[in-house]
């Protein structure tokens, strides 16, 4: 199996820690002038999403994680699995709820998103930073309220609930930032 | 193509100002400026410092990790107190506070011991800072007691390893030796909490490097380091001047190197011969000029003081 030495550590590198695939977020070289050198590394466990710190003696080697991020098209959910397709090879992948996580609420059929594969199976899904979705349910809009800053909850076609301005109506299209879950703007159909 | 300097031009001017002041400081205090080779046939044997070797001229030579050995040969030749501003090279050391090529100010004071040398460092740093600086001194063991409530003399290796895992989460210290535990605790559990200028002195004899043992307590060496806000800035000793002990330390380094699978290094017989011929009692220190400049200018990364880091 491929491995990396600590001097190859950089953010984004995928390595195996305690049997789980992890991504390096930060790597700091710490060395007393005449003492042992260490690499202090902040990593994200790609299965659980947890962030933790690890210390290595500089020069140690760590197994590489067979992890790739691939652009795939979301097809549908059967209630248990979310199904994705590679638009080049037409190969399909099924991701469970643990792998999809919060991303599920932003996924609309045909949209493309990033699927993280570990040993060939999905362990994570990242939606596009911005999605455009239709409002399927919200309180009736209030005429003349465009200038005021109030908001109301609106349910979108994928099931996500976001706060939108009071004047928006069912059937309108909105642009949302999936990283913060915040409404960005109204989109003209 | 980005060809521009890494440091701002003003930082480059500040470095020139600092170097000029350093030279004035030593010139007016009877210390001779010297210039020793950066490329030499032997190098330091320290197990934690890797040299960069250079082939050419039909032999292997080493970029010096510090000018220490050459400067000691000058001392043995009767130079009297000397100082040098030069570059030094250490393989694999790269990060926010490290560059494989860096700048050093190294000086040796005949007739001084390590505390007298610390006094002079205080004066130099204050002069360069253009403001009042306050300095504190603490013994190495006392620092561990104060910071971690840990008596490193009484602690077993198992306890030290356990401290490493507890104080620095995510550390598997099961394979660490005593010095690796102490290095980790000092660098990651203690240093981040240190404020201002602090001398740490009387290192364990196992970390003596080229310092002489403390005549009153053979378990520690007359070695010190200067920290500023937890960043290591200088390392100095009351110098070991005994050729026999020096040879024993070189041989010990090579044994430790063999155990760790590191290359054996040729012992610098010229240095040993110089010590054999006799060398005055003296104290010496190496101070990292890139880091000093960072501190004086309030910068937080070594990149900001290097002309180029391509």
């Amino acid at each position: 199996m491929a491995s990396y030495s600590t001097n190859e550590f950089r953010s984004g590198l995928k390595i195996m820690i305690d049997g789980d695939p992890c991504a390096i977020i930060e790597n700091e070289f710490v060395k007393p002038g005449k003492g042992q050198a260490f690499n202090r590394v902040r990593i994200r466990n790609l299965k659980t999403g947890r962030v933790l710190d690890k210390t290595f003696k500089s020069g140690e080697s760590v197994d590489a994680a067979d992890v790739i991020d691939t652009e795939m098209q979301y097809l549908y959910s059967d209630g248990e699995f979310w199904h994705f397709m590679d638009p080049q090879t037409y190969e399909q992948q099924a991701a469970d709820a643990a792998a999809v996580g919060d991303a599920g609420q932003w996924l609309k059929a045909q949209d493309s998103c990033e699927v993280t594969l570990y040993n060939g199976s999905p362990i994570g899904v990242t939606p596009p930073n911005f999605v455009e979705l239709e409002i399927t349910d919200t309180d009736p809009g209030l005429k003349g309220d465009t200038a005021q800053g109030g908001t109301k909850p609106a349910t979108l076609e994928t099931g996500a609930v976001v706060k939108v301005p009071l004047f928006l109506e069912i059937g309108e299209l909105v642009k949302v930032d999936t990283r913060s879950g915040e409404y960005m703007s109204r989109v003209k159909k | 193509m980005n060809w521009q300097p890494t440091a701002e031009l003003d930082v480059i001017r500040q470095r020139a100002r600092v170097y000029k002041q350093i030279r004035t400081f030593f010139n007016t205090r009877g210390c001779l400026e010297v210039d020793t080779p950066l490329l030499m046939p032997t190098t330091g044997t320290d197990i934690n410092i890797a040299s960069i070797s250079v082939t050419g001229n039909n032999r292997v030579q080493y970029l010096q990790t510090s000018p220490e050995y050459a400067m000691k040969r000058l001392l043995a030749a009767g130079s009297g107190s000397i100082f040098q501003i030069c570059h030094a090279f250490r393989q694999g050391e790269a990060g926010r506070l490290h560059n494989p090529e860096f700048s050093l100010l190294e000086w040796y004071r005949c007739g001084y011991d390590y505390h007298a040398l610390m006094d002079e460092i205080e004066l130099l740093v204050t002069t360069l800072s253009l403001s009042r600086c306050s300095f504190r001194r603490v013994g190495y063991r006392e620092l561990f007691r104060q910071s971690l409530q840990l008596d490193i003399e009484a602690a077993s290796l198992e306890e030290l390893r356990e401290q490493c895992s507890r104080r620095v989460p995510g550390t598997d210290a099961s394979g660490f030796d005593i010095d690796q535990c102490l290095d980790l605790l000092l660098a990651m559990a203690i240093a981040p909490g240190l404020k201002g200028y602090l001398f740490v002195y009387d290192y364990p004899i196992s970390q003596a490097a080229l310092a002489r043992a403390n005549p009153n307590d053979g378990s520690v060496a007359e070695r010190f380091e200067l920290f500023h806000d937890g960043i290591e800035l200088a390392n100095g000793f009351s110098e070991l001047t005994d050729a026999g002990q020096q040879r024993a330390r070189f041989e010990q380094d090579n044994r430790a190197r063999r155990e760790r699978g590191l290359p054996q290094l040729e012992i610098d017989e010229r240095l040993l011969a110089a010590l054999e011929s006799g060398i005055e009692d003296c104290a010496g220190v190496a101070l990292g000029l890139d880091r000093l400049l960072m501190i004086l200018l309030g910068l937080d990364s070594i990149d900001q003081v290097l002309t180029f880091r391509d």
Side-chain angles (χ1 to χ4, degrees), chain A residues 31-36 40 55, chain B residues 48 93 169-171 180 183 232:
Chain A
K31 184 180 187 305
K34 299 210 175 285
Q36 173 70 45
R40 185 72 173 154
T55 310
Chain B
N48 290 314
E93 301 194 6
T171 302
Q180 287 170 331
D183 283 339
E232 186 185 342

Side-chain angles (χ1 to χ4, degrees), chain A residues 28-36 38 40 53-55 57, chain B residues 48 93-94 98 168-171 180 183 188 209 232 235 260:
Chain A
E28 190 180 12
F29 179 72
V30 181
K31 184 180 187 305
K34 299 210 175 285
Q36 173 70 45
F38 301 99
R40 185 72 173 154
D53 294 326
K54 267 307 210 200
T55 310
K57 277 193 284 187
Chain B
N48 290 314
E93 301 194 6
H98 293 83
V168 187
T171 302
Q180 287 170 331
D183 283 339
M188 288 190 227
E232 186 185 342
N235 176 76
R260 287 205 199 166

Side-chain angles (χ1 to χ4, degrees), chain B residues 70-230:
Chain B
M71 290 181 82
K72 282 186 174 162
R73 285 164 62 189
L74 292 179
L75 290 165
S79 65
S81 296
I82 47 177
F83 79 98
Q84 171 158 222
I85 292 174
C86 65
H87 281 207
F89 301 83
R90 294 181 185 181
Q91 192 179 316
E93 301 194 6
R96 188 173 66 84
L97 297 172
H98 293 83
N99 196 48
E101 176 177 2
F102 61 102
S103 299
L104 271 184
L105 165 63
E106 181 147 331
W107 78 98
Y108 292 84
R109 279 298 197 171
C110 298
Y112 280 36
D113 73 353
Y114 64 146
H115 276 288
L117 192 56
M118 287 185 238
D119 293 340
E120 188 170 52
I121 295 170
E122 292 189 9
L123 195 60
L124 174 68
V125 172
T126 304
T127 305
L128 299 174
S129 301
L130 310 170
S131 64
R132 279 175 63 91
C133 306
S134 66
F135 293 81
R136 290 178 303 124
R137 295 182 194 184
V138 63
Y140 187 93
R141 281 177 194 160
E142 182 57 25
L143 179 65
F144 277 76
R145 257 195 293 269
Q146 286 176 10
S147 303
L148 305 179
Q149 294 75 51
L150 174 65
D151 181 351
I152 58 170
E153 240 184 318
S156 67
L157 178 56
E158 276 320 303
E159 285 170 88
L160 289 175
R161 288 172 173 167
E162 189 271 328
Q163 285 278 334
C164 287
S165 308
R166 190 152 63 81
R167 303 280 186 176
V168 187
T171 302
D172 173 11
S174 55
F176 286 13
D177 63 24
I178 289 175
D179 288 319
Q180 287 170 331
C181 290
L182 296 178
D183 283 339
L184 181 99
L185 291 171
L186 180 53
M188 288 190 227
I190 298 176
L194 300 178
K195 291 277 165 277
Y197 286 103
L198 177 71
F199 287 102
V200 180
Y201 64 92
D202 282 351
Y203 275 63
I205 194 75
S206 55
Q207 299 182 22
L210 273 64
R212 75 175 177 213
N214 186 318
N216 303 316
D217 178 359
S219 71
V220 298
E222 290 192 349
R223 173 183 163 202
F224 67 89
E225 292 219 349
L226 173 60
F227 291 84
H228 177 269
D229 288 354

